[in-house]
Amino acid sequence: TGVTGARTELDNTLPAYLERVRRNTRKPFVVGFGISRRDQVAAVAPPAAGVVVGSALVAALGAAPDAAARRDTVRRFVAGLSGGSGAS
């Protein structure tokens, strides 16, 4: 458990904790506290099977004036997190 919301830095004990979780479960798990940048995704996945992003995406959507701009914002944001180009 923890406080949600985008963070500039993840807790430096998180990688060791996630490795312990991975060793003690056979189920895939995701991490979602504070993830907002590609380097943070790379720091937790693996061992996590994925990430959950909320606050950072909502903040990115805040300036989008319409539905088309929101779609483009989501594509670019997710591409940035995953290392993709965002082209569709």
Side-chain angles (χ1 to χ4, degrees):
T1 65
V3 177
T4 63
R7 300 203 169 120
T8 56
E9 301 296 325
L10 298 177
D11 187 307
N12 62 357
T13 64
L14 187 59
Y17 173 75
L18 295 177
E19 190 56 39
R20 279 195 320 274
V21 171
R22 188 197 58 76
R23 283 193 314 266
N24 288 289
T25 186
R26 293 180 183 198
K27 303 272 186 196
F29 63 92
V30 297
V31 175
F33 291 110
I35 305 295
S36 62
R37 298 187 322 261
R38 172 73 188 125
D39 62 308
Q40 294 170 329
V41 171
V44 300
V51 298
V52 177
V53 178
S55 299
L57 180 57
V58 170
L61 288 169
D66 57 36
R70 287 188 292 276
R71 281 190 298 276
D72 290 341
T73 296
V74 169
R75 282 188 191 105
R76 284 192 310 274
F77 187 85
V78 171
L81 289 178
S82 66
S85 69
S88 54

